[in-house]
Amino acid sequence: MASNPLVSIVVPAHNAEVTLARALDCLLDQEIVDWEAIIVDDASTDRTPAIIAGYAEHDARFRALRSCADSAAGARNSGISTARGQWLMFLDADDWVDASFLAKMLAALKTTPDAVAAYCGSRRVMPDGELTPSSISTEVAIQPFETFARRCAIRTHALLVDRETIVELGGFDVSLRTCEDWDLWQRLARLGKRWVMVDEPLAFYSVSPNSLSRNSTQMLADAEIVIARGFSPDPRVKHPASAHANGAIEANGRTASQALAWFALWNAASDCGGGSHSINPQSLRALPAGRKWAREVAKVVFDGLLVGSLSVPTQLAARWERFGGSLTELIIEFGKIWDDPAAGRRVQYHLEQMLLDFDDLAAPRRLARTLGIRVDARNPISIELPEGIDQIYAYLMVDGRIEARVQFGALGKVTRSHWIKLASQSGVADNSNLSAAEASLPMAEHPSDPDSHFGKLARLAAEAQGLVRSSAEPLEPLAAPRRKPAADDHDTDRTSFWNRRFATEDPWNYRSPYEQEKYERQLEILPAGPIGRALELACAEGHFTRQLAPRVGHLTATDISAIAIGRARARCSDQPNVEFGVLDFSADTLPGGMDLIVCSEVLYYLDDLAELRRIAKKFVEALAPGGSFISAHAFVLRDNVERTGFDWNTFGAQAISETLAATEGLVLEQSIQTELYRIDRFHRLSPDDVATEPMIDHVPIRAPIGIGVARNIVWGGARALRRDVARSERRQRIPVLMYHSVADDGPAALARFRCTPAAFEGQMAWLRSNGFHAIMSEQLEWSIANRHPFVGRPVLITFDDGFQNFADHAWPTLRKNDLTAEVFLVTDLVGKSAQWDAHSGPPTQLMDAGMVRRLAGEGAFFGSHLATHRAIDGLSSSDLAAELLRSRMFIERWTGRPTTTFAAPFSVTDRRLGRLAKECGYRIGFGGKHGPADLDCDPIDLPRIEVRGDRSLDDFVATVEAVLE
């Protein structure tokens, strides 16, 4: 063997006669042979010295060393002092490594020459020989010092480290009874050099009931020292990286006290697993209490339980009786420390699910809140719920095989028929074992005793209905639905079409400031001088007729609809120079010799431009020589998609003007043009007339534009038209956008959840100009159920919480872009404020029930955000069901519509929610999944795309366009 081996392996051994041979044999098995093993006998009184001597005698790579350090740290330091290799490994006498350990670790170091250490994954070995799953800390390779400042992330023997560096750092701290390896790795990481990861479980760690790591008091005392060192300068490290010289960064709450609390939590759980209570719960006070940490807390507890109970994951649930009581007491303490019992319950649910996910339920597992059982899917029996249990975790069995897993909130006894229905829904069994009466009923309607699940659910529903009925909020009818765009429909029978339009008086809001301003401009463009005979085509209900009559000698006002003519005649009854008549100007002969013909907002409804050209000739014939023809029509995108226009399925002002100008005998004299419409005056040429250049006036629109008009406008032009993409595009997925607040100001901590009105307006305008149309969740559900591709470019726009600023800012913007949205309401707080955000600043005002009713009448849709905005994974099953029921019933009272959709508060769900929501009357749900919704989605657990307030319009566009690709 070379005098200076590549690797030196230090093996401290104290009374290790039972395990030492296994540890040393794993070195003999190594694929790499260039190593030395320094076995340090630390004052053993058993056969350990003899075993060491035997290995040293048979293989010169083993060297024996005696020590009286009485500690693993001191023994390792003795070994380091005589080591000669470039790399060091520390192997305890009861642990071992895979035969490929040295080869793979050295290969990783060779590919990363500047690395100071390589580390790998590890597995625990329990006293019965069972192995835990592999674990490895990926963050060590990314931020080694920030990681080791807070926790010991690797096993002692899962590491190859540069020997000279360890010597310079002074080796292990012998003042520490435990955590001495953590302390050394922390000093090593403070140098700022690279650590390379080998992502394989090459190290095996024996868990012993007599291990020092089970002395939680000593572990916690030593850990406090190591963590304090990690968050301050360490004089033992002479040349730290500048970024680490003063210790770890306390960012985002990741403080020294929090790090110690996480370590205390692991030890507390380990103590529970071992049947003791040596950790004061107050040491856990610095743990983060937010709901997002519940799963992490449960994971740490789970890991501590494994070591404390000497178990592997598949054994934990079966051993619940040993530690379940003390563990549940500990979790209850979490809720007290955090002043939030639901937070403790949330951890309990997460932990129990973890335990049962590993268990085969060979026998029933009664935990604190969950009952784990096997059920014969073909011949189930009723299950009574033990006290405290409100969740079932079951394997459905067929012929001794596990066919499906079901997990659901249970309010009471789960009956035989309930089980058979669950099996049927899971695709495990049919309904052949049900009675005819049972098989004919939906699950939630099964006749059941009051103590059964559905019996108690019915009782909660009755209580919720009583609350709704006793509410002071009146039940009011909805406002009439909004009208469909006028120019989007044609009818083979024009007379019937127009009579239906005029069935409701003033169908186009002729009295609006926008229409009145347009009338004024038509009067401005009248030809100078007296006007003898005038003809008004499509006079409708006579609003403009009444204003035109005083300006002409005699006015013939006509319309295709007798209903409209009747109203016009009544409106102008005091105008003696007006006569009225029913006239279809396309089919009927026009009266002739007219000095003026006015035809406004009607030529869109002709079949095509060929019909317009034909009728234009009739206009010329009806005019006296020198007479004027006035046309007022809106710009339509079909004429020119690059400019502002109305999104109607017809030609518009540009095509109409060009067609009239091309008609023989007509010449344009004057035009008043706005961004939305143009008013043209044409002149019928006399034989001796000479055409002159028309006078063009561009004027602004000063009148406010009502929503009935605005929702059809696409400002600045369109990149795609809805009807075009509806004909040409079919897709498998759509964006479901999730918003919260639309406001200029608010707490800085909530900026992510707040879009400014200007930003929101830009996003909605982009959607409109790119051919998107809004759909509702029920339409999404229908497409999924029928596997029907989405037509065109649908988008589902959702708002969580129901803030008043939705009504103030978002809703007007949505309406003017001909879009709608689905708003999820927190029903117990409607009309109040968002108290769940109070820790971030002044809570935002929520809409009241009256506003909800008004917006529902205007076309907004509403769903449930539950009743209190508490995260559902911390609610008991009974409270969750009560909130689902109460919320749905109140929204139905306010809107007059069935409520079938919910969104989980904080986007937090668990396995109970979907099934319980269905039982409470919902069909559609949005949980915590992120991304587009497609035809393969589960309608009760749909994904959404959060629209963040701290992102740009370009980010928004890129996100939505990615869904289209």
Side-chain angles (χ1 to χ4, degrees):
M1 185 180 69
S3 59
N4 291 314
L6 187 59
V7 180
S8 293
I9 303 160
V10 177
V11 186
H14 174 73
N15 290 341
E17 64 179 3
V18 175
T19 62
L20 181 58
R22 174 89 182 253
L24 299 182
D25 285 345
C26 82
L27 300 180
L28 293 172
D29 293 336
Q30 291 301 302
E31 298 167 2
I32 295 290
V33 299
D34 190 6
W35 52 263
E36 67 171 356
I38 304 162
I39 313 166
V40 184
D41 174 23
D42 191 14
S44 296
T45 58
D46 62 0
R47 294 185 58 255
T48 297
I51 295 172
I52 296 172
Y55 276 85
E57 181 180 349
H58 286 91
D59 192 324
R61 291 176 299 178
F62 291 104
R63 291 197 288 133
L65 193 68
R66 293 192 61 82
S67 169
C68 297
D70 194 29
S71 73
R76 291 186 192 122
N77 286 344
S78 296
I80 293 170
S81 68
T82 66
R84 298 168 296 174
Q86 178 184 352
W87 301 100
L88 276 176
M89 172 191 174
F90 302 100
L91 177 67
D92 285 351
D94 55 352
D95 298 330
W96 69 94
V97 292
D98 185 82
S100 64
F101 175 86
L102 288 179
K104 290 179 178 178
M105 299 287 272
L106 288 168
L109 288 165
K110 186 175 182 179
T111 61
T112 315
D114 58 340
V116 73
Y119 72 101
C120 66
S122 62
R123 301 181 72 177
R124 294 191 185 100
V125 186
M126 295 302 167
D128 60 3
E130 292 289 331
L131 297 173
T132 63
S134 172
S135 66
I136 191 166
S137 176
T138 57
E139 60 265 36
V140 168
I142 302 167
Q143 288 187 312
F145 179 68
E146 292 294 333
T147 302
F148 286 116
R150 293 167 172 84
R151 64 190 184 93
C152 189
I154 59 175
R155 303 289 174 211
T156 307
H157 61 301
L159 184 75
L160 270 190
V161 60
D162 181 71
R163 179 180 61 83
E164 290 184 357
T165 305
I166 294 298
V167 171
E168 290 172 6
L169 290 170
F172 293 91
D173 183 347
V174 296
S175 70
L176 295 171
R177 292 287 296 165
T178 65
C179 305
E180 74 284 350
D181 50 347
W182 177 6
D183 173 75
L184 181 55
W185 309 153
Q186 184 189 101
R187 277 180 279 146
L188 181 63
R190 194 184 286 262
L191 297 173
K193 297 181 180 181
R194 293 186 62 183
W195 292 53
V196 61
M197 179 177 72
V198 177
D199 193 6
E200 291 186 59
L202 304 178
F204 299 86
Y205 169 73
S206 294
V207 179
S208 165
N210 301 316
S211 169
L212 270 175
S213 64
R214 292 171 60 84
N215 183 343
S216 58
T217 302
Q218 185 66 55
M219 289 274 286
L220 199 56
D222 289 339
E224 186 171 9
I225 294 170
V226 176
I227 291 171
R229 289 171 174 171
F231 281 82
S232 60
D234 191 336
R236 299 173 300 170
V237 182
K238 304 302 181 185
H239 303 290
S242 58
H244 309 319
N246 294 317
I249 301 170
E250 293 194 343
N252 301 319
R254 299 178 69 233
T255 62
S257 58
Q258 186 183 101
L260 185 62
W262 282 112
F263 192 76
L265 173 65
W266 187 92
N267 280 275
S270 179
D271 282 354
C272 288
S276 64
H277 296 276
S278 61
I279 298 293
N280 182 350
Q282 292 303 312
S283 64
L284 309 176
R285 183 171 292 279
L287 283 175
R291 61 193 171 278
K292 68 179 181 180
W293 292 101
R295 183 173 295 277
E296 192 63 31
V297 169
K299 285 169 62 177
V300 172
V301 170
F302 185 90
D303 194 67
L305 279 177
L306 292 176
V307 174
S309 64
L310 304 176
S311 305
V312 294
T314 55
Q315 298 168 336
L316 279 178
R319 297 174 178 178
W320 178 263
E321 291 298 324
R322 301 184 191 176
F323 55 77
S326 59
L327 181 63
T328 301
E329 289 177 11
L330 175 65
I331 294 174
I332 291 172
E333 285 296 323
F334 293 166
K336 293 178 181 177
I337 291 169
W338 295 328
D339 194 26
D340 182 7
R345 189 160 50 238
R346 182 177 299 119
V347 172
Q348 188 87 42
Y349 280 132
H350 281 299
L351 178 64
E352 293 182 9
Q353 180 174 304
M354 289 178 188
L355 266 60
L356 294 174
D357 279 345
F358 281 101
D359 200 277
D360 64 1
L361 303 182
R365 312 297 188 204
R366 178 182 172 179
L367 309 184
R369 303 196 69 87
T370 313
L371 177 64
I373 52 173
R374 290 186 173 193
V375 175
D376 184 346
R378 290 179 175 164
N379 188 29
I381 60 173
S382 296
I383 301 294
E384 297 281 353
L385 285 193
E387 184 179 356
I389 297 294
D390 68 354
Q391 180 175 222
I392 297 287
Y393 187 115
Y395 288 140
L396 301 181
M397 312 295 295
V398 175
D399 296 332
R401 300 186 312 274
I402 298 173
E403 294 292 336
R405 179 189 67 192
V406 292
Q407 187 173 344
F408 56 96
L411 310 183
K413 179 171 64 178
V414 183
T415 62
R416 175 178 179 275
S417 60
H418 189 170
W419 281 119
I420 295 176
K421 279 290 188 181
L422 285 169
S424 177
Q425 291 175 350
S426 302
V428 175
D430 58 29
N431 290 343
S432 58
N433 289 335
L434 286 173
S435 67
E438 288 173 325
S440 66
L441 289 172
M443 181 180 288
E445 296 178 3
H446 276 295
S448 50
D449 66 68
D451 292 326
S452 73
H453 171 78
F454 289 111
K456 293 190 175 182
L457 191 65
R459 188 185 312 158
L460 288 175
E463 292 172 359
Q465 192 62 56
L467 284 173
V468 172
R469 287 173 179 162
S470 64
S471 168
E473 294 292 341
L475 180 61
E476 296 182 4
L478 285 175
R482 67 186 191 182
R483 296 189 308 273
K484 199 174 180 181
D488 277 0
D489 285 312
H490 292 276
D491 198 291
T492 53
D493 180 354
R494 281 181 175 159
T495 301
S496 298
F497 169 79
W498 287 106
N499 280 333
R500 282 196 297 275
R501 286 292 172 133
F502 286 107
T504 301
E505 189 172 356
D506 195 8
W508 281 278
N509 195 15
Y510 302 114
R511 298 184 181 87
S512 72
Y514 173 77
E515 295 295 338
Q516 291 300 313
E517 183 178 71
K518 198 187 305 179
Y519 291 161
E520 292 171 7
R521 287 172 174 162
Q522 291 178 68
L523 295 175
E524 290 173 11
I525 209 171
L526 289 175
I531 301 171
R533 299 181 64 220
L535 172 64
E536 184 182 9
L537 301 175
C539 70
E541 296 178 348
H543 291 80
F544 182 67
T545 308
R546 185 172 181 82
Q547 297 181 42
L548 178 61
R551 308 287 294 269
V552 302
H554 182 271
L555 175 60
T556 300
T558 66
D559 197 278
I560 194 173
S561 169
I563 298 172
I565 287 295
R567 293 185 187 133
R569 182 179 285 113
R571 178 165 283 106
C572 300
S573 60
D574 59 344
Q575 301 290 324
N577 65 330
V578 182
E579 66 172 327
F580 292 92
V582 175
L583 178 73
D584 179 349
F585 63 75
S586 177
D588 299 339
T589 301
L590 303 184
M594 293 294 167
D595 299 310
L596 173 68
I597 298 177
V598 178
C599 184
S600 300
E601 303 289 0
V602 70
L603 296 179
Y604 320 109
Y605 292 92
L606 298 177
D607 290 338
D608 51 35
L609 289 175
E611 185 179 18
L612 176 59
R613 287 191 289 270
R614 178 180 63 80
I615 292 171
K617 295 177 182 178
K618 293 175 66 174
F619 296 157
V620 175
E621 294 168 358
L623 283 171
S628 296
F629 182 88
I630 294 178
S631 164
H633 288 85
F635 293 109
V636 175
L637 289 171
R638 206 170 95 175
D639 288 348
N640 182 359
V641 295
E642 294 182 357
R643 61 150 296 153
T644 297
F646 287 79
D647 190 11
W648 293 334
N649 188 23
T650 181
F651 49 82
Q654 180 176 321
I656 292 169
S657 181
E658 291 172 353
T659 301
L660 293 173
T663 303
E664 186 177 354
L666 281 183
V667 63
L668 180 64
E669 278 191 318
Q670 184 179 356
S671 180
I672 297 175
Q673 298 182 15
T674 72
E675 191 170 2
L676 295 179
Y677 58 83
R678 62 184 290 168
I679 303 168
D680 295 329
R681 187 180 79 237
F682 291 87
H683 175 71
R684 179 179 176 180
L685 294 173
S686 299
D688 56 349
D689 282 349
V690 177
T692 60
E693 284 295 316
M695 181 172 62
I696 309 296
D697 296 323
H698 293 276
V699 298
I701 297 173
R702 294 188 173 88
I705 301 173
I707 193 63
V709 174
R711 63 188 173 86
N712 292 300
I713 301 168
V714 180
W715 297 93
R719 293 176 58 191
L721 298 179
R722 287 174 171 175
R723 63 185 55 84
D724 291 343
V725 296
R727 284 192 294 266
S728 62
E729 296 184 8
R730 299 293 182 272
R731 60 190 71 259
Q732 300 293 309
R733 60 182 192 169
I734 68 166
V736 181
L737 305 180
M738 175 177 65
Y739 291 90
H740 291 82
S741 179
V742 178
D744 282 311
D745 301 310
L750 301 177
R752 166 182 173 173
F753 305 105
R754 185 176 59 252
C755 269
T756 66
F760 183 72
E761 187 163 350
Q763 293 166 4
M764 296 305 101
W766 184 88
L767 290 174
R768 185 70 171 91
S769 67
N770 281 271
F772 286 85
H773 68 280
I775 65 169
M776 291 297 97
S777 57
E778 290 189 353
Q779 294 166 276
L780 172 56
E781 179 208 22
W782 182 90
S783 291
I784 292 172
N786 292 279
R787 302 291 301 170
H788 192 283
F790 302 104
V791 176
R793 297 181 182 179
V795 59
L796 175 49
I797 303 169
T798 68
F799 280 80
D800 286 4
D801 305 324
F803 293 124
Q804 175 61 35
N805 59 47
F806 171 82
D808 297 338
H809 303 304
W811 182 237
T813 295
L814 286 162
R815 295 187 77 197
K816 78 176 185 179
N817 285 285
D818 198 32
L819 298 166
T820 189
E822 198 152 353
V823 184
F824 298 107
L825 301 173
V826 185
T827 51
D828 282 7
L829 300 178
V830 161
K832 300 175 184 177
S833 61
Q835 291 302 320
W836 60 88
D837 285 335
H839 62 282
S840 298
T844 305
Q845 180 66 36
L846 301 170
M847 288 187 285
D848 62 23
M851 181 61 71
V852 171
R853 280 195 299 274
R854 195 201 91 188
L855 298 189
E858 293 176 357
F861 292 79
F862 293 90
S864 169
H865 210 35
L866 275 67
T868 64
H869 205 279
R870 292 181 291 175
I872 66 98
D873 61 346
L875 297 176
S876 69
S877 295
S878 179
D879 285 348
L880 176 55
E883 288 212 19
L884 286 163
L885 289 164
R886 184 164 78 249
S887 181
R888 176 177 64 79
M889 292 178 184
F890 268 106
I891 296 169
E892 289 177 346
R893 179 179 181 87
W894 297 330
T895 65
R897 300 188 187 114
T899 298
T900 59
T901 308
F902 72 88
F906 304 110
S907 297
V908 172
T909 64
D910 65 12
R911 294 178 188 171
R912 298 173 300 158
L913 178 59
R915 193 178 303 277
L916 197 53
K918 289 180 181 178
E919 293 168 357
C920 291
Y922 297 88
R923 302 197 312 270
I924 309 150
F926 297 98
K929 294 180 179 178
H930 177 82
D934 59 40
L935 297 178
D936 294 322
C937 286
D938 180 356
I940 208 68
D941 189 20
L942 291 166
R944 293 188 288 176
I945 298 170
E946 179 188 355
V947 181
R948 295 178 54 144
D950 54 0
R951 301 289 168 82
S952 68
L953 178 60
D954 287 343
D955 292 327
F956 174 84
V957 170
T959 298
V960 176
E961 286 186 336
V963 179
L964 298 184
E965 294 174 355

